[in-house]
Amino acid sequence: MNSPNEFNLSCPIPIENYPRVLLAHGGGGRLMHQLIEKIFTSSFKNEILANRHDGATLNLPAGKLAFTTDSYVVSPLFFPGGDIGALSIYGTVNDLAMCGARPLYISAGFIIEEGFSMDTLWQIAQSMKSASQKAGVLIVTGDTKVVDKGKGDGVFINTAGVGIIEHDFEIGPRSIMDEDVIILNGDIGRHGIAIMASREGLEFETTITSDCAPLWETVEALLKSGIEINCLRDLTRGGLASALIELAEQSNRQFVVEENAIPVNPEVQAACEILGFDPIYVANEGRLIAFVPAKDAAKAIAVMREIHSDIKPSVIGKVSGNSPGTVIMKSRIGAERVIDMLSGEQLPRIC
Amino acid sequence: MNSPNEFNLSCPIPIENYPRVLLAHGGGGRLMHQLIEKIFTSSFKNEILANRHDGATLNLPAGKLAFTTDSYVVSPLFFPGGDIGALSIYGTVNDLAMCGARPLYISAGFIIEEGFSMDTLWQIAQSMKSASQKAGVLIVTGDTKVVDKGKGDGVFINTAGVGIIEHDFEIGPRSIMDEDVIILNGDIGRHGIAIMASREGLEFETTITSDCAPLWETVEALLKSGIEINCLRDLTRGGLASALIELAEQSNRQFVVEENAIPVNPEVQAACEILGFDPIYVANEGRLIAFVPAKDAAKAIAVMREIHSDIKPSVIGKVSGNSPGTVIMKSRIGAERVIDMLSGEQLPRIC
């Protein structure tokens, strides 16, 4: 679990002078420059960022790039298994990975509420530093805004990412084929339940930790193994169910999923039962589904298992052409039902 | 002036059903998909966005790219001469242009406060559509989050931008040379005063409008004219003074600026006097300074004038090597003073 005290380095802006972020820290003057220099540039340091221009200049080979963005508004900012800083890096890295792109460069935009703890901001920057190193990306450009007290919620972070596509696969909903199998890389529902438990002060026998993790390593291994990858999607807001339904609609195909084959940690399952949640709708931050031809299923699972020995990938279903745009769930007792998206989320502000 | 009623098209989400944005509109389910589809995808439509994957896939030639980001938290959302939507496109386009890059692709991340007017969100999307067309960019990927009422301020927008550098100049603070002249493309202080007047209900004889505008056309014309461009910087938070001081420090050179040569609209000047502001610190959103060799000054001004006949570019000063890292302002009566950055901004939440 990350916590505001996990990192040893202490905040380089003297807390006795500026214990909290002021509106002036976003005003374009000396204080803003000091905040950016001491909190962000010193944490993320790299040659591109050091140019301190209005944007970063990147040298890239010709070819296909992936470009994506996500804003992070999670509450609470620190939770078992992660924090908003790590999430803001991994979430965007994962969106690039789902395009089959090697994540390279990240931008970071901070919207800070006046009065936010300077030390907590520093801890978040340290977490972003550590996450970007783990994910192999550079934070090359950024922006800092401060909004009046009561007009924000601590800190919101937006990251955008640029990655490079080094292969010829067309990875996306349009490439999903009949008879593809659907592989899930691990157990579902950890992130949503970790946030919920943390928010509501719920206690379980062991602490349920978020699955928050970068997924490029897994995708890279799949690409290198020679498996034909048709589509990838990470499971975030709306959980496994919403991702499946989105892809069924976008590919205009039908998916048949075995409820029995979907791994759910017993404590997550218990928490879901207490809270009245269905784990297939609960958010994740380190899980993906991959659509591959049936012949490649065993190999794909072996590759995934090699990368993350602690989670269990499995085939959870397959693509079938009967009733396009729908997802059928076969229950443990053999009953079939069509699953639909919820209107909203069982739990807001989880990412 | 843009206003919520300027655009004729009416909001495609029936106002009688959803007059306001709900938390569920950010929850990853049906309502979120409907909001994204009807408000954003329908406004920004292009082939790349239509792929509806986790990120956009872009085909780019080899070479140097520019990558930048900015969050927009301006209050009020609509002001004379612009709105948060136009600002969120032009601001990021301008950061790319300052790297000498042709702006191509934009990402858009929305953080919406629960209860925000659906129709206003639609008007903002329409304004972004119109601004992106004017600036020649495509909005290719995005993200939507909804935060609880009281934890945001209507809407915050983050955009990131990718542009391509099609020339061999090294445009940036490190390329500034002694004896370069400093050219300003027009009168300063409009944006900050327009926001201030709008926020405080101040009335002047004529409405002071923001200078909010895209700058790539000007930069492109300068590049094509064969002028040697050493550095470009757009003037935003902190105004002309902060931009000059930043560049003097980053280039380790001294700039000498003639106060007399800096154009200020008489009404902006009057407003500044009433409010106790110095126009050199007031925010702009369509102004830049260019550092070019003295021999190219007349040509640069002629090129700028051709692009925007309504504003008056002028040489405001030059680079001199005497006292590196400082900016000297020569006043109207001949006195010299060293100008420094303010600690914060005279006015927060202006961009």
Side-chain angles (χ1 to χ4, degrees):
Chain A
M1 171 183 179
N2 290 356
S3 80
N5 301 315
E6 185 188 330
F7 305 101
N8 291 326
L9 283 170
S10 64
C11 178
I13 292 185
I15 303 294
E16 60 278 19
N17 297 346
Y18 294 106
R20 301 195 170 275
V21 176
L22 310 175
L23 268 181
H25 279 114
R30 281 279 166 230
L31 285 178
M32 187 180 87
H33 284 82
Q34 190 190 57
L35 179 106
I36 292 174
E37 192 64 43
K38 300 212 172 199
I39 303 277
F40 299 129
T41 315
S42 75
S43 300
F44 307 153
K45 59 175 165 252
N46 60 66
E47 263 183 40
I48 303 172
L49 192 60
N51 280 328
R52 305 203 300 182
H53 199 29
D54 280 343
T57 304
L58 316 173
N59 278 301
L60 284 168
K64 284 194 292 185
L65 290 186
F67 178 38
T68 189
T69 192
D70 236 321
S71 302
Y72 300 86
V73 300
V74 65
S75 167
L77 298 173
F78 293 80
F79 49 83
D83 62 84
I84 191 171
L87 208 58
S88 74
I89 301 297
Y90 295 153
T92 294
V93 160
N94 290 351
D95 282 344
L96 292 173
M98 295 309 109
C99 303
R102 175 188 299 282
L104 293 176
Y105 301 111
I106 297 284
S107 69
F110 298 88
I111 299 176
I112 308 166
E113 186 187 7
E114 180 187 11
F116 189 62
S117 153
M118 190 67 80
D119 191 54
T120 306
L121 188 64
W122 168 248
Q123 304 303 337
I124 290 168
Q126 292 300 103
S127 173
M128 292 176 77
K129 170 189 176 175
S130 147
S132 60
Q133 286 169 344
K134 196 167 158 195
V137 291
L138 296 178
I139 301 170
V140 292
T141 188
D143 176 60
T144 304
K145 292 290 188 313
V146 181
V147 298
D148 323 61
K149 195 161 179 60
K151 302 290 186 184
D153 192 17
V155 64
F156 300 141
I157 303 176
N158 174 286
T159 52
V162 171
I164 185 155
I165 298 172
E166 296 164 328
H167 55 80
D168 295 324
F169 292 114
E170 286 278 347
I171 297 177
R174 293 179 187 175
S175 300
I176 294 175
M177 307 296 283
D178 277 351
E179 306 304 322
D180 273 359
V181 295
I182 307 168
I183 300 175
L184 170 65
N185 73 326
D187 64 313
I188 61 167
R190 287 181 168 276
H191 181 70
I193 296 300
I195 293 291
M196 183 69 189
S198 168
R199 209 183 281 175
E200 303 297 328
L202 302 181
E203 298 209 0
F204 304 100
E205 276 191 30
T206 55
T207 303
I208 297 170
T209 56
S210 167
D211 57 327
C212 175
L215 291 170
W216 168 244
E217 212 186 340
T218 300
V219 173
E220 187 181 25
L222 287 171
L223 286 167
K224 282 191 177 162
S225 72
I227 291 166
E228 187 184 320
I229 304 175
N230 291 329
C231 188
L232 297 166
R233 182 64 56 104
D234 59 338
L235 314 178
T236 58
R237 281 180 290 182
L240 172 65
S242 302
L244 286 169
I245 295 158
E246 258 180 57
L247 292 177
E249 291 178 355
Q250 289 169 12
S251 65
N252 205 28
R253 305 202 182 247
Q254 185 178 58
F255 305 157
V256 180
V257 177
E258 306 274 345
E259 195 164 19
N260 225 9
I262 302 169
V264 184
N265 167 290
E267 293 211 292
V268 170
Q269 184 68 53
C272 281
E273 278 164 19
I274 293 166
L275 297 163
F277 289 175
D278 185 335
I280 64 170
Y281 293 102
V282 176
N284 310 271
E285 287 290 347
R287 297 294 178 259
L288 62 81
I289 44 176
F291 290 74
V292 303
K295 66 174 174 55
D296 287 335
K299 192 167 173 188
I301 285 178
V303 168
M304 286 179 173
R305 198 168 283 152
E306 197 154 315
I307 297 293
H308 289 292
S309 56
D310 54 329
I311 54 176
K312 288 200 183 82
S314 52
V315 172
I316 60 163
K318 63 171 189 171
V319 180
S320 104
N322 299 336
S323 178
T326 58
V327 177
I328 307 286
M329 182 74 77
K330 284 190 175 171
S331 78
R332 287 164 220 276
I333 55 164
E336 291 192 358
R337 63 191 164 109
V338 174
I339 57 168
D340 198 4
M341 273 189 212
L342 303 181
S343 300
E345 169 59 83
Q346 301 173 113
L347 185 66
R349 306 280 306 274
I350 43 170
C351 56
Chain B
M1 170 181 178
N2 291 354
S3 80
N5 301 316
E6 185 189 327
F7 305 102
N8 291 325
L9 284 169
S10 64
C11 179
I13 292 186
I15 303 293
E16 60 278 19
N17 298 347
Y18 295 106
R20 300 194 171 274
V21 176
L22 310 175
L23 269 181
H25 279 115
R30 281 278 167 231
L31 285 178
M32 187 179 87
H33 283 81
Q34 189 190 59
L35 178 106
I36 292 173
E37 191 64 45
K38 300 213 172 197
I39 303 277
F40 299 130
T41 314
S42 75
S43 300
F44 307 153
K45 60 176 165 249
N46 59 68
E47 262 183 41
I48 303 172
L49 192 61
N51 280 328
R52 305 203 299 182
H53 199 28
D54 280 342
T57 304
L58 316 173
N59 278 301
L60 285 169
K64 285 194 292 184
L65 290 187
F67 178 38
T68 189
T69 192
D70 237 320
S71 302
Y72 300 86
V73 299
V74 66
S75 166
L77 297 172
F78 293 79
F79 49 82
D83 62 85
I84 191 170
L87 208 57
S88 74
I89 301 297
Y90 295 153
T92 294
V93 160
N94 290 351
D95 281 346
L96 292 172
M98 296 308 109
C99 303
R102 176 188 300 282
L104 293 176
Y105 301 112
I106 297 284
S107 69
F110 297 88
I111 299 176
I112 307 166
E113 186 187 8
E114 180 188 10
F116 188 63
S117 152
M118 191 66 83
D119 190 54
T120 306
L121 189 64
W122 167 248
Q123 303 303 337
I124 290 168
Q126 292 301 103
S127 173
M128 291 176 77
K129 171 189 176 175
S130 145
S132 59
Q133 287 169 345
K134 195 167 158 195
V137 291
L138 296 178
I139 301 170
V140 292
T141 188
D143 176 60
T144 304
K145 293 289 186 315
V146 180
V147 299
D148 323 61
K149 193 160 178 65
K151 302 289 186 183
D153 192 18
V155 64
F156 300 141
I157 303 176
N158 174 286
T159 51
V162 171
I164 187 156
I165 298 172
E166 296 164 328
H167 55 79
D168 295 322
F169 291 113
E170 287 277 348
I171 296 176
R174 292 178 187 177
S175 301
I176 293 175
M177 307 297 282
D178 278 351
E179 307 302 323
D180 273 0
V181 295
I182 307 167
I183 300 175
L184 169 66
N185 74 325
D187 64 313
I188 60 167
R190 287 182 169 275
H191 181 70
I193 296 301
I195 293 291
M196 183 70 191
S198 169
R199 208 183 280 175
E200 304 296 328
L202 303 181
E203 298 209 358
F204 303 99
E205 275 191 31
T206 55
T207 303
I208 297 169
T209 56
S210 167
D211 57 326
C212 177
L215 291 170
W216 167 244
E217 212 186 341
T218 299
V219 173
E220 187 181 26
L222 288 172
L223 286 166
K224 282 192 176 159
S225 72
I227 291 166
E228 186 184 322
I229 303 175
N230 291 328
C231 188
L232 297 166
R233 182 64 56 103
D234 58 338
L235 314 179
T236 57
R237 281 180 290 182
L240 172 65
S242 302
L244 286 168
I245 295 158
E246 257 180 57
L247 292 178
E249 291 177 354
Q250 289 170 12
S251 65
N252 205 30
R253 307 204 180 244
Q254 184 178 58
F255 305 158
V256 180
V257 177
E258 306 274 345
E259 196 164 17
N260 224 9
I262 302 169
V264 184
N265 168 291
E267 293 210 293
V268 171
Q269 184 68 50
C272 282
E273 279 164 19
I274 293 166
L275 299 163
F277 289 176
D278 185 336
I280 63 170
Y281 293 102
V282 176
N284 309 274
E285 286 291 345
R287 297 294 178 260
L288 63 82
I289 44 176
F291 290 74
V292 304
K295 66 175 173 53
D296 287 335
K299 193 168 174 187
I301 285 179
V303 169
M304 286 180 172
R305 196 168 284 150
E306 198 154 313
I307 296 294
H308 289 293
S309 56
D310 54 330
I311 55 176
K312 288 200 183 83
S314 52
V315 173
I316 60 162
K318 64 172 187 169
V319 180
S320 104
N322 299 336
S323 178
T326 59
V327 178
I328 307 286
M329 182 73 78
K330 284 190 176 172
S331 78
R332 288 165 220 275
I333 55 164
E336 292 192 357
R337 63 191 164 113
V338 174
I339 56 168
D340 197 5
M341 273 188 210
L342 303 181
S343 301
E345 170 59 83
Q346 301 173 114
L347 185 66
R349 308 276 309 273
I350 43 172
C351 56

